[in-house]
Amino acid sequence: HATIKGGLSAIPFVGGIVSEFFGLAVVSPLQKRHEIWLRSLYDEIDHLKEQNVEYNIENLQKNENFISIVTQASQYAIKNHIVEKLEYLKNATLNSVTSGIDFEDQVVFLNYIESFTLLHIKILMFLEERGINGIDSKSDQLSDITIYKMKSTAPEWKKKHVLQELDSSGLIQKDYHLQYNTKNMMLKISISEFGKDFLKYIRK
Protein backbone atom coordinates (compact mmCIF):
# COMPACT_ATOMS: atom_id res chain seq x y z
CA HIS A 1 0.00 0.00 0.00
CA ALA A 2 2.76 2.42 0.96
CA THR A 3 4.71 1.62 -2.22
CA ILE A 4 1.70 2.13 -4.52
CA LYS A 5 0.64 5.32 -2.80
CA GLY A 6 4.20 6.66 -2.93
CA GLY A 7 4.42 5.86 -6.62
CA LEU A 8 1.12 7.60 -7.31
CA SER A 9 2.29 10.67 -5.41
CA ALA A 10 5.30 10.92 -7.71
CA ILE A 11 3.16 11.39 -10.82
CA PRO A 12 3.60 15.03 -11.98
CA PHE A 13 0.68 17.43 -11.51
CA VAL A 14 -2.02 14.88 -10.56
CA GLY A 15 -0.03 12.50 -8.37
CA GLY A 16 -1.21 13.95 -5.07
CA ILE A 17 -4.86 13.84 -6.09
CA VAL A 18 -4.62 10.27 -7.38
CA SER A 19 -2.79 9.22 -4.23
CA GLU A 20 -5.50 10.66 -2.00
CA PHE A 21 -8.19 9.01 -4.12
CA PHE A 22 -6.42 5.67 -3.74
CA GLY A 23 -6.29 6.10 0.02
CA LEU A 24 -9.89 7.23 0.43
CA ALA A 25 -11.73 5.23 -2.24
CA VAL A 26 -9.84 1.93 -2.12
CA VAL A 27 -7.86 1.42 1.07
CA SER A 28 -10.40 2.83 3.53
CA PRO A 29 -13.26 0.57 2.36
CA LEU A 30 -10.93 -2.45 2.44
CA GLN A 31 -9.90 -1.64 5.98
CA LYS A 32 -13.54 -1.25 6.92
CA ARG A 33 -14.40 -4.62 5.38
CA HIS A 34 -11.54 -6.25 7.25
CA GLU A 35 -12.62 -4.77 10.57
CA ILE A 36 -16.27 -5.81 10.05
CA TRP A 37 -15.19 -9.33 9.10
CA LEU A 38 -12.95 -9.77 12.14
CA ARG A 39 -15.58 -8.34 14.48
CA SER A 40 -18.21 -10.72 13.11
CA LEU A 41 -15.82 -13.65 13.51
CA TYR A 42 -14.85 -12.63 17.03
CA ASP A 43 -18.47 -12.24 18.14
CA GLU A 44 -19.29 -15.74 16.93
CA ILE A 45 -16.22 -17.24 18.61
CA ASP A 46 -17.08 -15.41 21.81
CA HIS A 47 -20.50 -17.05 21.72
CA LEU A 48 -19.21 -20.53 20.83
CA LYS A 49 -16.55 -20.64 23.54
CA GLU A 50 -19.32 -20.91 26.12
CA GLN A 51 -20.40 -24.17 24.49
CA ASN A 52 -17.08 -25.65 23.41
CA VAL A 53 -13.72 -25.19 25.09
CA GLU A 54 -11.94 -25.61 21.74
CA TYR A 55 -13.05 -22.08 20.84
CA ASN A 56 -11.23 -20.50 23.77
CA ILE A 57 -8.66 -17.99 22.54
CA GLU A 58 -5.83 -19.90 24.22
CA ASN A 59 -6.73 -23.06 22.32
CA LEU A 60 -7.25 -21.25 19.02
CA GLN A 61 -3.79 -19.69 19.32
CA LYS A 62 -2.30 -23.20 19.37
CA ASN A 63 -4.49 -24.48 16.53
CA GLU A 64 -2.32 -24.20 13.41
CA ASN A 65 -5.15 -25.49 11.20
CA PHE A 66 -7.45 -22.70 12.41
CA ILE A 67 -4.78 -19.99 11.99
CA SER A 68 -4.13 -21.05 8.39
CA ILE A 69 -7.82 -21.21 7.55
CA VAL A 70 -8.71 -17.88 9.14
CA THR A 71 -5.79 -16.24 7.29
CA GLN A 72 -6.98 -17.50 3.91
CA ALA A 73 -10.65 -16.85 4.65
CA SER A 74 -9.84 -13.28 5.67
CA GLN A 75 -8.14 -12.64 2.35
CA TYR A 76 -11.26 -13.82 0.53
CA ALA A 77 -13.58 -11.91 2.86
CA ILE A 78 -12.12 -8.47 2.11
CA LYS A 79 -12.58 -9.17 -1.61
CA ASN A 80 -16.27 -9.93 -1.19
CA HIS A 81 -19.37 -7.86 -0.54
CA ILE A 82 -21.87 -10.69 -1.08
CA VAL A 83 -23.51 -11.36 2.27
CA GLU A 84 -24.08 -15.08 1.65
CA LYS A 85 -20.44 -15.66 0.72
CA LEU A 86 -19.22 -13.85 3.81
CA GLU A 87 -21.51 -16.06 5.90
CA TYR A 88 -20.14 -19.20 4.21
CA LEU A 89 -16.57 -18.03 4.85
CA LYS A 90 -17.34 -17.38 8.50
CA ASN A 91 -19.05 -20.75 8.94
CA ALA A 92 -16.13 -22.50 7.25
CA THR A 93 -13.62 -20.76 9.50
CA LEU A 94 -15.53 -21.73 12.62
CA ASN A 95 -16.13 -25.29 11.41
CA SER A 96 -12.41 -25.72 10.74
CA VAL A 97 -11.99 -26.14 14.51
CA THR A 98 -14.33 -29.11 14.95
CA SER A 99 -15.29 -30.51 11.51
CA GLY A 100 -12.63 -33.23 11.34
CA ILE A 101 -12.28 -32.57 7.59
CA ASP A 102 -8.73 -32.92 6.23
CA PHE A 103 -6.88 -29.61 6.07
CA GLU A 104 -6.23 -29.95 2.32
CA ASP A 105 -9.94 -30.47 1.69
CA GLN A 106 -10.71 -27.44 3.81
CA VAL A 107 -8.41 -25.33 1.64
CA VAL A 108 -10.16 -26.66 -1.47
CA PHE A 109 -13.55 -25.81 0.03
CA LEU A 110 -12.45 -22.24 0.76
CA ASN A 111 -11.36 -21.92 -2.86
CA TYR A 112 -14.79 -23.16 -3.94
CA ILE A 113 -16.51 -20.49 -1.84
CA GLU A 114 -14.33 -17.89 -3.51
CA SER A 115 -14.70 -19.11 -7.09
CA PHE A 116 -18.28 -20.45 -7.11
CA THR A 117 -21.34 -18.30 -7.65
CA LEU A 118 -24.37 -18.54 -5.38
CA LEU A 119 -26.04 -20.52 -8.17
CA HIS A 120 -23.39 -23.26 -7.76
CA ILE A 121 -24.27 -23.68 -4.12
CA LYS A 122 -28.01 -23.42 -4.73
CA ILE A 123 -27.89 -26.21 -7.32
CA LEU A 124 -25.70 -28.34 -5.07
CA MET A 125 -28.22 -27.96 -2.24
CA PHE A 126 -30.99 -28.87 -4.67
CA LEU A 127 -29.13 -32.05 -5.65
CA GLU A 128 -28.57 -32.87 -1.99
CA GLU A 129 -32.29 -32.63 -1.38
CA ARG A 130 -33.71 -34.50 -4.36
CA GLY A 131 -31.18 -35.25 -7.10
CA ILE A 132 -32.13 -35.65 -10.76
CA ASN A 133 -33.53 -38.99 -11.92
CA GLY A 134 -34.53 -40.62 -15.16
CA ILE A 135 -32.17 -39.10 -17.71
CA ASP A 136 -31.56 -41.29 -20.75
CA SER A 137 -28.00 -42.60 -20.71
CA LYS A 138 -27.59 -41.47 -24.32
CA SER A 139 -27.58 -37.94 -22.93
CA ASP A 140 -24.71 -38.75 -20.61
CA GLN A 141 -23.22 -35.31 -21.05
CA LEU A 142 -23.95 -32.77 -18.37
CA SER A 143 -24.09 -30.09 -21.04
CA ASP A 144 -27.22 -31.79 -22.41
CA ILE A 145 -29.05 -31.90 -19.08
CA THR A 146 -31.78 -29.42 -18.16
CA ILE A 147 -33.01 -29.02 -14.59
CA TYR A 148 -36.70 -28.50 -15.16
CA LYS A 149 -37.72 -28.46 -11.51
CA MET A 150 -35.01 -26.11 -10.35
CA LYS A 151 -36.52 -22.91 -8.97
CA SER A 152 -34.12 -20.41 -10.48
CA THR A 153 -34.40 -17.58 -12.96
CA ALA A 154 -30.94 -18.40 -14.33
CA PRO A 155 -30.90 -19.35 -18.04
CA GLU A 156 -30.59 -23.04 -18.88
CA TRP A 157 -27.12 -22.63 -20.43
CA LYS A 158 -25.84 -21.25 -17.13
CA LYS A 159 -27.32 -24.13 -15.13
CA LYS A 160 -25.67 -26.61 -17.49
CA HIS A 161 -22.34 -24.84 -17.13
CA VAL A 162 -22.65 -24.89 -13.33
CA LEU A 163 -23.42 -28.64 -13.42
CA GLN A 164 -20.29 -29.25 -15.47
CA GLU A 165 -18.17 -27.36 -12.95
CA LEU A 166 -19.75 -29.17 -10.00
CA ASP A 167 -19.05 -32.47 -11.75
CA SER A 168 -15.41 -31.63 -12.52
CA SER A 169 -14.98 -30.48 -8.90
CA GLY A 170 -16.08 -33.89 -7.61
CA LEU A 171 -19.07 -32.47 -5.76
CA ILE A 172 -21.71 -34.44 -7.67
CA GLN A 173 -21.86 -38.00 -8.95
CA LYS A 174 -23.56 -39.92 -11.75
CA ASP A 175 -25.10 -43.37 -11.28
CA TYR A 176 -26.72 -45.66 -13.84
CA HIS A 177 -29.62 -48.06 -13.46
CA LEU A 178 -31.98 -49.97 -15.72
CA GLN A 179 -35.30 -48.29 -16.34
CA TYR A 180 -38.23 -50.31 -15.00
CA ASN A 181 -39.57 -52.83 -17.57
CA THR A 182 -37.14 -51.61 -20.25
CA LYS A 183 -33.59 -52.26 -21.35
CA ASN A 184 -32.69 -48.59 -21.28
CA MET A 185 -29.99 -47.39 -18.93
CA MET A 186 -31.04 -44.31 -17.03
CA LEU A 187 -28.84 -41.72 -15.40
CA LYS A 188 -29.20 -40.29 -11.91
CA ILE A 189 -27.28 -37.23 -10.73
CA SER A 190 -26.86 -36.63 -7.01
CA ILE A 191 -24.51 -35.00 -4.56
CA SER A 192 -21.29 -36.89 -3.75
CA GLU A 193 -19.85 -37.51 -0.29
CA PHE A 194 -17.28 -34.83 -1.07
CA GLY A 195 -20.15 -32.48 -1.90
CA LYS A 196 -21.89 -33.32 1.37
CA ASP A 197 -18.70 -32.48 3.26
CA PHE A 198 -18.51 -29.15 1.44
CA LEU A 199 -22.08 -28.19 2.38
CA LYS A 200 -21.49 -29.34 5.96
CA TYR A 201 -18.37 -27.20 6.07
CA ILE A 202 -20.07 -23.98 4.96
CA ARG A 203 -23.21 -24.35 7.09
CA LYS A 204 -23.68 -23.00 10.56
Side-chain angles (χ1 to χ4, degrees), residues 145-191:
I145 295 169
T146 302
I147 309 179
Y148 294 105
K149 297 180 181 180
M150 181 72 192
K151 294 181 180 179
S152 172
T153 57
E156 293 301 322
W157 66 266
K158 185 174 289 188
K159 296 177 187 177
K160 296 172 186 175
H161 179 69
V162 166
L163 273 173
Q164 287 178 313
E165 292 193 329
L166 292 175
D167 182 46
S168 63
S169 299
L171 298 175
I172 62 176
Q173 62 189 14
K174 298 180 290 183
D175 299 304
Y176 300 91
H177 57 87
L178 282 173
Q179 187 180 21
Y180 183 68
N181 284 338
T182 74
K183 295 182 179 180
N184 295 333
M185 292 293 292
M186 303 302 289
L187 174 65
K188 175 183 178 181
I189 301 177
S190 58
I191 188 171

Side-chain angles (χ1 to χ4, degrees), residues 44-78:
E44 196 67 37
I45 289 174
D46 193 49
H47 172 69
L48 288 173
K49 72 180 183 181
E50 302 298 328
Q51 308 167 29
N52 190 327
V53 69
E54 292 188 58
Y55 288 100
N56 287 340
I57 298 300
E58 294 79 8
N59 291 330
L60 293 179
Q61 287 177 332
K62 301 173 185 177
N63 189 330
E64 295 294 337
N65 184 94
F66 171 78
I67 293 172
S68 296
I69 293 298
V70 75
T71 300
Q72 184 170 340
S74 296
Q75 293 174 353
Y76 291 154
I78 64 173

Side-chain angles (χ1 to χ4, degrees), residues 22-196:
F22 176 75
L24 294 173
V26 178
V27 176
S28 294
L30 288 180
Q31 290 174 336
K32 184 177 180 181
R33 282 186 181 185
H34 193 224
E35 291 171 3
I36 292 173
W37 157 255
L38 290 179
R39 170 55 64 180
S40 173
L41 193 57
Y42 172 80
D43 289 343
E44 196 67 37
I45 289 174
D46 193 49
H47 172 69
L48 288 173
K49 72 180 183 181
E50 302 298 328
Q51 308 167 29
N52 190 327
V53 69
E54 292 188 58
Y55 288 100
N56 287 340
I57 298 300
E58 294 79 8
N59 291 330
L60 293 179
Q61 287 177 332
K62 301 173 185 177
N63 189 330
E64 295 294 337
N65 184 94
F66 171 78
I67 293 172
S68 296
I69 293 298
V70 75
T71 300
Q72 184 170 340
S74 296
Q75 293 174 353
Y76 291 154
I78 64 173
K79 294 192 293 182
N80 261 293
H81 69 283
I82 301 173
V83 175
E84 292 89 344
K85 280 203 171 189
L86 292 172
E87 188 68 17
Y88 294 145
L89 286 169
K90 182 174 69 174
N91 293 342
T93 303
L94 296 170
N95 287 333
S96 70
V97 179
T98 57
S99 69
I101 296 173
D102 289 343
F103 173 72
E104 292 184 354
D105 288 346
Q106 293 185 44
V107 173
V108 170
F109 290 162
L110 285 181
N111 289 332
Y112 287 165
I113 298 173
E114 165 67 6
S115 61
F116 283 173
T117 65
L118 296 182
L119 182 61
H120 284 78
I121 297 175
K122 183 175 183 179
I123 288 181
L124 191 60
M125 289 179 175
F126 172 82
L127 293 175
E128 177 191 40
E129 178 184 346
R130 57 197 303 180
I132 306 176
N133 291 285
I135 300 166
D136 194 300
S137 60
K138 295 178 181 179
S139 301
D140 184 10
Q141 296 294 324
L142 291 181
S143 59
D144 295 329
I145 295 169
T146 302
I147 309 179
Y148 294 105
K149 297 180 181 180
M150 181 72 192
K151 294 181 180 179
S152 172
T153 57
E156 293 301 322
W157 66 266
K158 185 174 289 188
K159 296 177 187 177
K160 296 172 186 175
H161 179 69
V162 166
L163 273 173
Q164 287 178 313
E165 292 193 329
L166 292 175
D167 182 46
S168 63
S169 299
L171 298 175
I172 62 176
Q173 62 189 14
K174 298 180 290 183
D175 299 304
Y176 300 91
H177 57 87
L178 282 173
Q179 187 180 21
Y180 183 68
N181 284 338
T182 74
K183 295 182 179 180
N184 295 333
M185 292 293 292
M186 303 302 289
L187 174 65
K188 175 183 178 181
I189 301 177
S190 58
I191 188 171
S192 66
E193 291 301 318
F194 193 56
K196 292 177 182 178

